[in-house]
C-alpha cells in the first residue's frame, strides 16, 4: 500500500456533500425545513401509497429529510422503478431527478430512516442553488481551500497506478479480487457526478476534511463553516420515534447511534457496545472505508480498505476498539 494511495470512497462522499449543503444554508439560500421542490420543482407532489387507517398523512420532502435519510425515498433494491432510473448511465442528474419525481415514495417523509439515494438529490440541490456543477462547487468551496489535491470524481490516467486493487466478499464469505487495476470509466468524469458516492480521495486529503470538522469548521486559517453550524450538524436530528434500524446496528456497528446532518452521531455508548464517547461521529463506504471523529478526545481515526461486503466481518467495530484502547489518560 502506497502512502499516497487513492481510494474509492463510495458513501464517504456523503459527509462532503452534506458540508456543501450547509455552506449554502449558512449563506441563506434556503432553510432546512423548506420543501426541496421549492428548488427542484420536478420533485413536487411525490407521495407514498395512500395511507391506511391510523397511518400519518404525508407531506413534501424537506431538505432536512434528505440530510437525515428520512425523506420517504426507498432503499436501493427496494423499488425497481427507482433503481432503474438511478442505474441508467445515459441520464444526466437533471434527467434522473425529473424521472424520480414521477415515482412514488416508500413511506411518509419524517416517519422512518432508510438509507438510500437522498444525498444524490442533495448534490443536485447544490448545483441548482449555486448554479455550478457539483464537482466545480466542491473544488472551489471545499477541496481547494483545504488542500485536498487528490480528491475528485475520477482519477487522472497519469495517477492510475496509485489506486489499489478492489476486492469483495462473496456469498461463501471468501475474499476475491474484483479489479486488479483501475477501470477505464474511473479515469474520466462521470456523466452525472453524484453527491452520495463516487469520490476518490487519499488518507491525507480526507484527514484534512475531518480535521476541519474537528476544528469546528476551520483548518490552517481557512474557514469552511462556522462553529455553530458544525455543532448543529452533529446533533441527533432524527425525529421522535425514528431510529436507525436494527440491521444497521448488527451489520455496521451502529447500535447506540443517531443521525446528524450527513453523519452518524453516537448518543448511547452502552448501547453501542464498543469503546468511545457520546458525540463521536463519522461514516463509512461500500468499499469498507470508515472514519470517526471524537471531539472529546480530539481524535480522528480512519480505516481505508477496498473491500466490498466488508460488513461480513466486524472490521469496523474491531478497528474502533483498537483505536480507543490505546488511550491512557
Amino acid at each position: 500500500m502506497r502512502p499516497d494511495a487513492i481510494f474509492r470512497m463510495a458513501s464517504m462522499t456523503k459527509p462532503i456533500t452534506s458540508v456543501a449543503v450547509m455552506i449554502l444554508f449558512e449563506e441563506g439560500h434556503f432553510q432546512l425545513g423548506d420543501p426541496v421542490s421549492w428548488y427542484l420543482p420536478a420533485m413536487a407532489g411525490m407521495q407514498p401509497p395512500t395511507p391506511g387507517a391510523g397511518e400519518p398523512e404525508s407531506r413534501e420532502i424537506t431538505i432536512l429529510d434528505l440530510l437525515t435519510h428520512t425523506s420517504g425515498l426507498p432503499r436501493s433494491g427496494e423499488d425497481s422503478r427507482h433503481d432503474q432510473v438511478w442505474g441508467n448511465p445515459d441520464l444526466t442528474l437533471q434527467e434522473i431527478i425529473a424521472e424520480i419525481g414521477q415515482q412514488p415514495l416508500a413511506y411518509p417523509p419524517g416517519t422512518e430512516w432508510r438509507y438510500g439515494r437522498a444525498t444524490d438529490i442533495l448534490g443536485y440541490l447544490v448545483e441548482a442553488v449555486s448554479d455550478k456543477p457539483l464537482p466545480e462547487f466542491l473544488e472551489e468551496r471545499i477541496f481547494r481551500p483545504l488542500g485536498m489535491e487528490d480528491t475528485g470524481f475520477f482519477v487522472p490516467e497519469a495517477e492510475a497506478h496509485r489506486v489499489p486493487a478492489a476486492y469483495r466478499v462473496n456469498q461463501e464469505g471468501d475474499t476475491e479480487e474484483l479489479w486488479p487495476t483501475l477501470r477505464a470509466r474511473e479515469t474520466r468524469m462521470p456523466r452525472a457526478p453524484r453527491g452520495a458516492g463516487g469520490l476518490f480521495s487519499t488518507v491525507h486529503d480526507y484527514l484534512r476534511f475531518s480535521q476541519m470538522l474537528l476544528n469546528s469548521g476551520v483548518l490552517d486559517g481557512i474557514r469552511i463553516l462556522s462553529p455553530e453550524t458544525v455543532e448543529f450538524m452533529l446533533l441527533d436530528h432524527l425525529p421522535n420515534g425514528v431510529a436507525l434500524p436494527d440491521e444497521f446496528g448488527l451489520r455496521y456497528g451502529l447500535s447506540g447511534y443517531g443521525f446528524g446532518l450527513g453523519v452518524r452521531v453516537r448518543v448511547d455508548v452502552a448501547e453501542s457496545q464498543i469503546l468511545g464517547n457520546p458525540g463521536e461521529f463519522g461514516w463509512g463506504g461500500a468499499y469498507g472505508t470508515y472514519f470517526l471523529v471524537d471531539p472529546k478526545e480530539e481524535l480522528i481515526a480512519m480505516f481505508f480498505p477496498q473491500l466490498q461486503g466488508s460488513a461480513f466481518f466486524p472490521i469496523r467495530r474491531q478497528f474502533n476498539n483498537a483505536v480507543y484502547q490505546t488511550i491512557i489518560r
Side-chain angles (χ1 to χ4, degrees):
M1 183 67 71
R2 302 168 55 103
D4 64 349
I6 300 173
F7 298 92
R8 302 166 182 89
M9 303 306 294
S11 287
M12 278 175 62
T13 303
K14 290 180 172 70
I16 293 176
T17 301
S18 300
V19 165
V21 171
M22 297 310 292
I23 290 172
L24 294 171
F25 168 69
E26 276 194 341
E27 293 176 351
H29 293 281
F30 47 73
Q31 297 299 309
L32 298 184
D34 291 346
V36 70
S37 64
W38 290 3
Y39 310 95
L40 306 179
M43 297 193 66
M46 291 187 73
Q47 294 288 324
T50 304
E55 295 182 357
E57 292 291 330
S58 188
R59 55 168 173 77
E60 285 208 55
I61 299 170
T62 67
I63 296 170
L64 180 63
D65 292 330
L66 293 170
L67 284 163
T68 56
H69 295 284
T70 58
S71 63
L73 294 167
R75 292 185 293 264
S76 297
E78 186 177 7
D79 189 321
S80 61
R81 294 166 294 185
H82 284 256
D83 293 339
Q84 288 171 5
V85 175
W86 288 113
N88 189 336
D90 298 323
L91 298 179
T92 65
L93 196 52
Q94 182 178 13
E95 292 168 338
I96 288 172
I97 299 302
E99 290 287 338
I100 288 298
Q102 302 301 311
Q103 308 304 325
L105 296 176
Y107 60 95
T111 63
E112 294 185 33
W113 190 92
R114 294 195 196 182
Y115 187 61
R117 303 283 191 172
T119 318
D120 283 329
I121 296 172
L122 290 174
Y124 187 55
L125 174 70
V126 170
E127 292 193 351
V129 171
S130 69
D131 199 28
K132 292 182 179 180
L134 179 63
E136 183 178 335
F137 185 90
L138 296 181
E139 176 66 26
E140 291 182 2
R141 302 301 298 273
I142 299 176
F143 301 156
R144 193 181 305 154
L146 293 180
M148 299 170 66
E149 297 179 356
D150 290 311
T151 301
F153 284 98
F154 70 99
V155 178
E157 289 190 16
E159 306 299 331
H161 61 285
R162 295 167 55 190
V163 181
Y167 299 83
R168 71 177 174 187
V169 180
N170 62 28
Q171 292 183 344
E172 288 72 40
D174 298 322
T175 300
E176 58 187 22
E177 192 170 70
L178 276 178
W179 310 294
T181 58
L182 198 65
R183 294 167 294 173
R185 68 179 177 85
E186 295 178 309
T187 61
R188 59 181 182 268
M189 181 66 74
R191 180 172 175 81
R194 299 178 184 179
L199 280 179
F200 293 82
S201 192
T202 62
V203 170
H204 170 273
D205 284 6
Y206 213 90
L207 176 62
R208 291 187 64 79
F209 173 75
S210 303
Q211 189 71 54
M212 177 273 294
L213 292 175
L214 181 59
N215 293 355
S216 299
V218 66
L219 182 65
D220 295 341
I222 305 297
R223 182 160 293 283
I224 305 299
L225 292 171
S226 74
E228 290 291 333
T229 299
V230 175
E231 182 178 350
F232 183 69
M233 288 182 67
L234 304 181
L235 299 174
D236 179 11
H237 285 272
L238 292 182
N240 289 335
V242 176
L244 273 63
D246 291 342
E247 66 183 89
F248 268 72
L250 295 172
R251 293 184 63 196
Y252 300 104
L254 291 176
S255 298
Y257 283 86
F259 207 80
L261 304 183
V263 291
R264 68 175 190 273
V265 178
R266 184 113 58 129
V267 294
D268 190 324
V269 176
E271 184 181 348
S272 72
Q273 297 184 28
I274 52 178
L275 304 178
N277 295 298
E280 173 263 311
F281 65 92
W283 199 237
Y287 288 94
T289 53
Y290 175 85
F291 83 111
L292 67 87
V293 181
D294 188 329
K296 179 180 177 181
E297 303 291 354
E298 297 185 343
L299 167 70
I300 298 168
M302 300 186 301
F303 180 55
F304 281 12
Q306 294 288 267
L307 177 66
Q308 284 189 347
S310 61
F312 184 88
F313 306 108
I315 299 174
R316 290 170 176 167
R317 295 190 291 276
Q318 292 172 343
F319 173 73
N320 181 97
N321 289 342
V323 168
Y324 276 101
Q325 62 85 26
T326 66
I327 299 173
I328 308 296
R329 295 185 181 88

